[in-house]
Amino acid sequence: QVQLVESGGGLVQAGNSLRLSCTASEVTFSPYARAWFRQAPGKQREFVGGIFWNSGAIFYADSVKDRFTVSRDKAKNTVYLQMFSLKPEDTAVYFCSATRRSGNASYLKSAGSYEYWGQGAQVTVSS
């Protein structure tokens, strides 16, 4: 079973940047898409950004598209979430995910579309 391992979370001040990484445990893992979600206390898991693994096409949630960037390194089987101009409302546990199932960007913005999940990385933004 492929495991997704996240790293890079932490405590930052508002306005600063942070980069999360998510590496698959199997080098040969080739999903259809990978994505980032986040979940704040008492809230539902929310889509942040995703990437079609082969083409590299990226899709974002409107709430973060001007501040967050998703990228990938296929050789390292790693996907990144670069976050700029962080705000206190970005505080959440961030999860990476992956799916072998195909679908369009709209379908892939739903957490139920993914069968692989990381353990989560806490990001806390102080004001």
Side-chain angles (χ1 to χ4, degrees):
Q1 178 75 359
V2 173
Q3 293 185 338
L4 303 178
V5 181
E6 297 136 347
S7 60
L11 172 64
V12 296
Q13 287 190 327
N16 284 353
S17 301
L18 197 65
R19 189 178 80 160
L20 302 179
S21 302
C22 174
T23 300
S25 59
E26 294 181 8
V27 176
T28 58
F29 180 58
S30 183
Y32 181 78
R34 293 175 70 168
W36 291 94
F37 287 76
R38 67 184 180 184
Q39 189 165 17
K43 294 188 176 182
Q44 289 189 332
R45 193 165 295 190
E46 172 191 29
F47 170 76
V48 175
I51 185 167
F52 292 94
W53 196 245
N54 284 333
S55 71
I58 299 169
F59 48 104
Y60 295 100
D62 289 341
S63 59
V64 303
K65 64 182 180 180
D66 295 329
R67 298 186 296 119
F68 291 8
T69 300
V70 175
S71 62
R72 61 157 163 71
D73 184 331
K74 293 187 76 175
K76 295 181 179 179
N77 220 321
T78 297
V79 63
Y80 303 97
L81 179 65
Q82 178 70 58
M83 301 179 286
F84 300 98
S85 302
L86 282 161
K87 305 174 181 180
E89 51 263 42
D90 294 317
T91 294
V93 178
Y94 284 71
F95 297 91
C96 67
S97 60
T99 181
R100 295 185 188 273
R101 299 189 290 254
S102 62
N104 60 21
S106 179
Y107 169 78
L108 291 169
K109 290 181 179 180
S110 171
S113 301
Y114 296 85
E115 62 268 31
Y116 300 96
W117 290 90
Q119 79 284 1
Q122 177 69 49
V123 172
T124 302
V125 184
S126 63
S127 58

